[in-house]
Amino acid sequence: MIQIGDQSYAFDDPLVIGVGMGAFVTLLIVVLLIMTLRRAGKSSQSVDYVAGQVGRLAQDIGVLNQGQHTLAGSIKTVSEQQAHGQSQMLQNMEQRLAEVRQQMTEQLHESQRRSAVAMAEMQERMKDTLSGSTEKTTKSLTELQERLATIDKAQTNIEKLSGDVLSLQDILSNKQRRGMFGEIQLTDIVSKALPADSYALQATLSNGKRADCMIHLPNPPGPIVIDAKFPFEAYEQLAAAQTQDQQKTALRDLAGAVRKHIKDISERYVIDGETADGAIMFLPSEAVYAELHARLPEVVREGFAARVWIVSPTTCMATLNTMRAILKDARMREQTGAIRKELALLGGDVDRLVTRVGNLDRHFGQAAKDIEDIKISAEKAGKRAHRLDHFDFEELAPEADTKVVPITQPQV
């Protein structure tokens, strides 16, 4: 690019190319003249030849100058056309840019409007969604609080139950407390199954032994004793045993302890002429009862042979219900004479009631007949009153029946 004043020319511009060619030709002519002048001294022939060449060169330079003028006019025309084309192109480009700018502005406004509408719809949906989510969250939090309250309550119950279990362990770990626990459980079962006058707690026998509970059954079999104590230490050793040898040893100790307890009950609480020929050993645990029947059935059979029956809370309730039926039957037999006497008195009362009902029936019959006669007399009096009301003074014909029936009072 060549800058001459306010005009810029490119290297590929025809005007620049023509000027360059003219400069090159002029330089070539100058070089040829210099070479010719150097050779001028050699021969005149060469001078003449050079003079002819110079003349022709002058003519060529004139033609070249004319061509340069023509080329300069053409270049000027092309430059003007190019400037006019560039101006027109710039105007078209500016107009097109204005149209594009306007279209872009309109599209931008339309996009902004659509975006605003979409944003408003989205905000409305988000508002609805957030409102629903808030309600759901509130409901979930409420349910969560209720569940947490339930969990807290359950935790409190678990802690209380844990304390009760620990208390129960403390009770069962102490022999005296364990005996009291069995007695309390036995007392609760007996008080629910039998009448209060059919049993006695801590009853003292003739041999000086005190029974936990004595059921007053009729003869036979007679009063029967229930003992609530049990050798629980041997069972704890069996439950804590880990190896097979430890289990065998603990099971042997448990069998020995139960046999000794059966023997003690048989000797202390079975007295000829005072108690029944057997007694009951109460176990306050269903697990111990099941363990004895599952692993020591021979000990249970030995208890049967010694007439000492082993019961658990469940089987004790069933046994007491059977005893209650026996007591009810015995009391009914005792009251048989009184029942017969009351039935005889009831029969006499029924006979007297029948006689009095017959008398009352006769009185009602007589009263009904008297009422019928009263109705007849009333009808006749009504007819006479009707005639008098119509001033009927004709001679009254005698009635067919003028007999006056006396009214008798019913006898009671």
Side-chain angles (χ1 to χ4, degrees):
M1 182 69 67
I2 299 173
Q3 185 72 28
I4 301 175
D6 296 333
Q7 192 71 27
S8 298
Y9 298 96
F11 290 106
D12 56 352
D13 194 348
L15 180 59
V16 176
I17 296 173
V19 172
M21 291 179 63
F24 177 76
V25 171
T26 303
L27 179 62
L28 180 61
I29 291 172
V30 172
V31 171
L32 291 175
L33 287 175
I34 294 172
M35 292 177 65
T36 302
L37 291 174
R38 287 181 178 179
R39 292 180 181 179
K42 292 181 178 180
S43 64
S44 59
Q45 188 178 356
S46 297
V47 173
D48 294 335
Y49 177 76
V50 171
Q53 293 294 328
V54 169
R56 288 193 297 271
L57 182 60
Q59 293 178 359
D60 292 335
I61 290 171
V63 174
L64 182 60
N65 290 329
Q66 185 179 358
Q68 287 179 353
H69 289 297
T70 303
L71 181 60
S74 299
I75 290 173
K76 183 178 181 181
T77 302
V78 171
S79 298
E80 292 177 355
Q81 291 179 354
Q82 186 177 5
H84 183 268
Q86 289 178 354
S87 176
Q88 187 69 28
M89 184 176 64
L90 289 174
Q91 292 179 358
N92 293 335
M93 289 180 65
E94 289 177 356
Q95 183 179 0
R96 183 61 179 168
L97 286 174
E99 293 177 356
V100 171
R101 188 182 297 109
Q102 184 177 0
Q103 292 178 357
M104 290 182 65
T105 303
E106 293 177 355
Q107 292 179 358
L108 181 61
H109 290 166
E110 183 67 19
S111 299
Q112 290 178 351
R113 186 185 65 80
R114 292 179 180 177
S115 299
V117 173
M119 183 64 68
E121 294 178 353
M122 184 180 295
Q123 289 178 352
E124 189 67 23
R125 289 196 299 268
M126 289 181 65
K127 182 178 179 181
D128 296 339
T129 304
L130 290 175
S131 178
S133 301
T134 303
E135 293 178 358
K136 292 181 180 179
T137 303
T138 304
K139 184 177 180 181
S140 300
L141 289 175
T142 304
E143 294 177 354
L144 181 60
Q145 290 177 354
E146 293 177 356
R147 292 179 180 175
L148 289 175
T150 304
I151 293 173
D152 292 338
K153 185 176 180 181
Q155 183 69 25
T156 303
N157 293 333
I158 291 174
E159 292 176 356
K160 182 179 179 182
L161 182 61
S162 300
D164 294 340
V165 170
L166 293 176
S167 300
L168 181 60
Q169 289 179 352
D170 293 338
I171 291 172
L172 296 179
S173 62
N174 186 286
K175 184 176 181 180
Q176 184 177 2
R177 291 183 178 178
R178 186 170 63 246
M180 293 176 62
F181 174 73
E183 292 174 5
I184 293 172
Q185 191 174 7
L186 176 63
T187 301
D188 183 63
I189 295 174
V190 172
S191 62
K192 291 179 180 179
L194 299 177
D197 58 348
S198 62
Y199 64 91
L201 300 175
Q202 300 299 321
T204 303
L205 303 178
S206 60
N207 58 2
K209 302 299 181 181
R210 179 175 294 180
D212 294 330
C213 180
M214 177 181 287
I215 311 298
H216 301 302
L217 294 178
N219 288 317
I224 186 169
V225 174
I226 302 178
D227 183 73
K229 293 179 288 293
F230 179 76
F232 201 73
E233 293 82 359
Y235 176 76
E236 289 181 340
Q237 293 178 1
L238 178 62
Q242 296 181 355
T243 63
Q244 188 174 1
D245 294 337
Q246 291 177 353
Q247 290 181 359
K248 289 181 179 180
T249 303
L251 193 62
R252 184 173 61 251
D253 295 340
L254 177 62
V258 174
R259 287 190 178 97
K260 183 179 182 302
H261 195 57
I262 290 173
K263 182 179 178 182
D264 293 340
I265 292 175
S266 178
E267 292 177 352
R268 294 176 182 178
Y269 304 126
V270 178
I271 303 174
D272 294 336
E274 184 178 355
T275 64
D277 58 352
I280 297 176
M281 182 172 65
F282 175 74
L283 301 180
S285 174
E286 298 287 348
V288 179
Y289 180 80
E291 192 71 23
L292 288 178
H293 281 76
R295 306 183 67 174
L296 296 174
E298 67 279 1
V299 176
V300 178
R301 288 193 294 270
E302 291 178 7
F304 289 159
R307 306 193 68 81
V308 175
W309 298 283
I310 303 174
V311 296
S312 65
T314 304
T315 56
C316 182
M317 179 63 73
T319 304
L320 293 176
N321 286 330
T322 304
M323 293 181 181
R324 181 176 181 178
I326 295 173
L327 290 171
K328 183 178 180 180
D329 183 66
R331 292 186 179 183
M332 289 184 65
R333 287 198 302 268
E334 291 176 358
Q335 299 297 329
T336 300
I339 293 173
R340 289 179 179 178
K341 182 179 179 181
E342 294 296 330
L343 287 175
L345 295 175
L346 181 61
D349 293 337
V350 170
D351 292 339
R352 286 191 296 273
L353 180 61
V354 170
T355 301
R356 292 173 181 175
V357 168
N359 295 333
L360 183 60
D361 184 60
R362 287 194 298 272
H363 295 324
F364 281 152
Q366 184 64 38
K369 185 176 181 303
D370 294 339
I371 292 172
E372 187 66 27
D373 294 338
I374 292 172
K375 289 176 64 178
I376 294 172
S377 299
E379 290 177 358
K380 290 179 179 180
K383 290 178 180 179
R384 291 182 186 277
H386 183 69
R387 290 176 183 178
L388 290 174
D389 187 48
H390 288 80
F391 302 98
D392 190 0
F393 295 102
E394 294 181 359
E395 184 178 355
L396 297 175
E399 294 292 336
D401 187 7
T402 57
K403 182 179 180 181
V404 178
V405 179
I407 299 174
T408 60
Q409 296 292 332
Q411 297 178 3
V412 181

